[in-house]
Amino acid sequence: MSEMNAQGRTRPDRTREWQALAKHRAELGEVHLRQLFADDPRRAERYTLTVGDLYLDYSKHLVTDETLTLLRELAAAMDVAGLRDAMFRGEKINTTEGRAVLHTALRAPESAVVEVDGENVVPAVHAVLRKMQVFTDRILSGDWKGHTGKRIRNIVNIGIGGSDLGPAMAYEALRPYTHRDLTFRFVSNVDGADLHEAVRDLDAAETLFIVASKTFTTIETITNATSARNWLLDRLGAGEEAVAKHFVALSTNAEKVAEFGIDTANMFEFWDWVGGRYSFDSAIGLSLMIAIGPDRFREMLAGFHLVDEHFRTAPFEENAPVLLGLLGIWYGNFHGAQSHAVLPYSHYLSKFPAYLQQLDMESNGKSVDRDGTPVTWQTGPVVWGTPGTNGQHAYYQLIHQGTELIPADLLGFARPVEELEPRLAAQHDLLMANLFAQGQALAFGKTAEEVEAEGVPADLVPHKTFRGNHPTTTILANELSPSVLGQLIALYEHKVFVQGAIWNIDSFDQWGVELGKVLAKRVEPALTEGTAVPGLDASTASLVARYRAARGR
Ligand code: F6P
């Protein structure tokens, strides 16, 4: 039944295993979670997994043992394990860019050997980590001084996409572990307002800019970095010689860093086998290392590594990223779900869904397979979410009673952070009660009979009935430590990998972002100079004209 593409990989929807899942889906019909729990008194205990500090309850999913077996058979048919092993071995599985995919090497222990083109990359990874540590220690001790001799108290990371979202998200997530006497800001948007708000109350003499860009050609970052340099030199009334004490670069591109005017001695290197959205453990994490200190940073890397090893070695029955990936396939490809909600019941994880948006949607938002053939199966979902309980008072209505099926991850922690005063810490029970209540309500709903029994008038019964049967995974840990954050991110990274492998797409390129970049460069002179843009469509031309008129041009 299977049909191979030119690279010898199978089109998933042509496999026997896919057809078996489609048949199974039809047979299951609209089976309700109430029924599945009634059928198996041990379901809540059997459908759980523990990985490191993470406890996953996947009992509230529309699956049976047979579903899970069939999904694993699909993973086998698509050789997920083979592609995984090739990734860990450093093979160039990012075929459209001809690159290895080795973010896992960024958190490998120093004794590990991971070769790219015959060269072990692990020593270089650790050399950069040590260089980051030396620099961090100098900032934290006050040994590194700004141009005027003042110590650094403000750190501004300038980057976008993978060069922003990871450090910005993790800084929020690990705030209780951060040096509270330092100020951290993250600038990404080319909207001048972003840099303006980030620096307006800072003393330039105490400010360090970290320019984070894998390519060092990204227009937003280079524009903001140039403006930051001008701001600094203006404020200090200094010349170019001040740059060295206030700018460092994180990049793979030494030539462009030097061209920008940053001494390559102040550059922290990484490599083309680290994808932007997978780069947070590389030098891109420098701002976070300064924020939480090198020891905590290494704890976080160890958390990532723990899940890497789990993903690499655990049988698929017990493999958490494999399980999460397969559940997503089940809903996307066999239930027609188009989005996936990530709902952290932790204020500190407020930026986690945005981080996952890039990780997942830039990786798996593809419509041709590895061979370039259009896919005939749905690929990556829209990933979204905000922290609970806020979302409950906004969009949960649609999850509960709308017409969409939206699988969701509910993330929570048993302990509030230590530094909360007792009265605030006591609110944690209420927070977590909401998490558990939502999982329960989404899964089991409230039947019309139950509503009627409460004496609700007949005409209101349909409005107050909750169908339930909305699937969730609950992910719990004791606390949001650096290690747990690393474990969580790696869990999602590998989930995305599993799905990309099954969909037979290249999860590690992002050609879809290119066209907009090229067109923006072309349109900009039309805005500023009124230059004619050849081939500009009528709608865009009229928008440009309107913009110019509003700006008095
Ligand atoms: O435009 C998309 C992208 O290439 C992302 O993949 C990347 O994380 C981001 O831009 C930033 O790129 P860079 O780190 O090279 O500035």
Side-chain angles (χ1 to χ4, degrees), residues 160-163 213-216 218 276-277 358 362 510 513 517:
I160 197 163
S163 299
S213 176
K214 178 178 169 181
T215 56
F216 232 76
T218 303
R277 54 193 171 274
Q358 187 198 15
E362 202 173 74
Q510 58 284 316
V513 300
K517 290 186 192 171

Side-chain angles (χ1 to χ4, degrees), residues 172-173 343-353 386-389 411-413 417 428 431-432 435 480:
E172 282 303 321
L343 309 168
Y345 279 69
S346 162
H347 191 68
Y348 290 112
L349 283 182
S350 60
K351 293 191 172 167
F352 194 57
T386 51
T389 58
L411 277 57
F413 303 93
V417 304
H428 198 70
L431 174 72
M432 292 302 286
L435 183 160
L480 182 52

Side-chain angles (χ1 to χ4, degrees), residues 87 107 246 256 273-274 308 318 436 444 461 499 509 550:
M87 171 176 77
R107 52 261 190 159
H246 293 270
K256 289 281 175 196
W273 41 262
V274 182
D308 291 345
E318 296 154 24
F436 297 134
F444 304 110
V461 169
Q499 297 189 332
D509 61 15

